[in-house]
Amino acid sequence: MSVTLTVRHYAPEDAAAWNAFVATSKNGTFLHDRRFMEYHSDRFQDRSLIVEAGGKIAALLPANLKGTELQSHGGLTYGGLITGQSMSASAMCETVSALGEFLRGDGIARLRYKPVPHIFHRYPAEEDLYALFQAGARLVRSDLASAIAVGHAPSFSKSKRQGITRAGKFGLQVSQSDDIAGFWDILTARLHDAHQARPTHSLEELKLLKDRFPENIQLWTAGDSEGLQGGIVTFSCGPVLHAQYMAATDDGRQNGALDLIIGHLAQSGYGGHRWFSFGISTTGDGRELNSGLSRQKEMFGARSVVFEQYEWDVE
């Protein structure tokens, strides 16, 4: 890189420029938009960074501070360096070097780094992984997720095809819906009964985010004249349509409600997405695979995608 790099802290007055850069970046999604990042700002001490070259943004690092560790980002599924289309391998190595120098001067002992998985990239953008390796970072966590390559995936299993057929026989139809509260009742009951768990977002938080990002966050439901039997909340993240939440009633599970919705979205390539993504199937810091859950996703033709985390001691 022929110009001097500078690294500085993000400030609220940078929001518009930050969001504009994310929108045209090669690996950023709406999760990196400040309007999404800051919905839970009370839970994290923001310490996001901006890398500039010649006074123009070259990269962004969504991050929060936890003690002397910088996390990218504790409140996001993936963070990492968000870069423009012109970012090259050599420029990324210089960027990581400048970042390390800045962090040492800022009193940071370690960077916890969660790169953007490749399926979310508009263009290949894994220069950061090489630059971090070169700088001595180490892989400390690997979670296994699953995604369907739209138009290029293995066929649905026999049982999933039968589920779609069964849903049709019971008269279920797929539609977009604004009945977030109705779906939330089904979701919270299912999570409680099956896992004694709660959704990552509260109903109020999801409504807020859906109002801010109506084109990115949508609810798809399957039901009949008697009401809702199942639904999936999707996040549109660049090339990826991600199933953030899914749940069905007891009747919906028997009638193939979720099979019908997934078939509608994944097989049609809704919105021009290249991937239909499910969540991770691992627990215990990634070391324990829920084989049954992973197999359920594979029955839709999904295959494995790794979500990695690295640690870099910068002292």
Side-chain angles (χ1 to χ4, degrees):
M1 185 172 287
S2 58
V3 295
T4 302
L5 292 174
T6 59
V7 183
R8 63 179 178 86
H9 294 124
Y10 166 83
E13 54 268 27
D14 295 314
W18 176 291
N19 292 342
F21 187 85
V22 168
T24 59
S25 68
K26 63 179 181 177
N27 61 340
T29 74
F30 83 99
L31 272 64
H32 303 117
D33 188 291
R34 299 306 306 191
R35 294 171 297 164
F36 186 95
M37 289 179 58
E38 291 170 4
Y39 86 88
H40 53 14
S41 59
D42 57 315
R43 302 178 212 169
F44 299 94
Q45 184 179 350
D46 189 87
R47 192 63 72 91
S48 297
L49 301 177
I50 297 176
V51 182
E52 295 177 325
K56 296 182 179 180
I57 296 177
L60 304 172
L61 185 68
N64 66 281
L65 187 64
K66 187 175 182 179
T68 59
E69 180 178 87
L70 190 70
Q71 300 180 335
S72 179
H73 181 293
L76 299 176
T77 306
Y78 44 84
L81 284 159
I82 309 304
T83 62
Q85 298 176 18
S86 62
M87 177 61 73
S88 65
S90 60
M92 177 58 78
C93 290
E94 293 180 35
T95 297
V96 169
S97 177
L99 180 63
E101 183 176 350
F102 178 85
L103 294 179
R104 285 187 288 273
D106 206 32
I108 302 299
R110 173 181 294 168
L111 173 64
R112 182 84 173 198
Y113 190 89
K114 295 188 289 188
V116 180
H118 75 90
I119 60 172
F120 297 93
H121 298 176
R122 296 179 182 86
Y123 304 91
E126 295 185 330
E127 304 91 357
D128 57 338
L129 301 185
Y130 174 75
L132 285 167
F133 165 74
Q134 189 184 69
R138 60 191 182 278
L139 178 67
V140 295
R141 177 168 176 169
S142 183
D143 285 290
L144 196 69
S146 304
I148 300 170
V150 176
H152 303 281
S155 299
F156 282 21
S157 70
K158 181 178 179 180
S159 66
K160 296 306 180 186
R161 295 196 303 271
Q162 290 174 336
I164 294 173
T165 300
R166 190 164 57 251
K169 289 181 177 179
F170 280 98
L172 301 189
Q173 294 184 338
V174 177
S175 62
Q176 287 191 48
S177 173
D178 292 323
D179 187 14
I180 298 293
F183 169 73
W184 218 247
D185 288 341
I186 297 172
L187 175 67
T188 52
R190 183 62 61 194
L191 286 176
H192 180 269
D193 293 345
H195 308 289
Q196 290 74 54
R198 301 175 64 182
T200 301
H201 304 92
S202 69
L203 175 58
E204 292 71 24
E205 286 173 340
L206 189 64
K207 286 182 175 179
L208 171 68
L209 291 172
K210 192 175 187 307
D211 286 342
R212 291 181 179 179
F213 301 97
E215 299 301 318
N216 297 92
I217 301 177
Q218 296 175 336
L219 169 63
W220 300 86
T221 60
D224 57 16
S225 59
E226 295 185 3
L228 176 64
Q229 292 195 17
I232 300 179
V233 173
T234 59
F235 282 11
S236 178
C237 301
V240 177
L241 188 65
H242 174 68
Q244 179 70 19
Y245 296 112
M246 61 175 68
T249 64
D250 290 339
D251 285 344
R253 295 176 72 186
Q254 294 178 1
N255 298 341
L258 295 183
D259 296 343
L260 183 66
I261 301 171
I262 293 171
H264 174 78
L265 296 176
Q267 294 180 329
S268 68
Y270 166 79
H273 295 92
R274 299 200 301 269
W275 304 91
F276 182 89
S277 166
F278 297 95
I280 65 171
S281 302
T282 45
T283 56
D285 289 335
R287 299 188 181 279
E288 300 171 9
L289 175 66
N290 185 329
S291 299
L293 180 59
S294 179
R295 179 57 185 153
Q296 282 293 316
K297 299 168 185 177
E298 291 167 351
M299 290 169 72
F300 288 107
R303 293 298 181 263
S304 299
V305 178
V306 171
F307 284 56
E308 296 178 327
Q309 296 188 29
Y310 293 82
E311 285 185 354
W312 180 26
D313 295 324
V314 299
E315 287 186 321

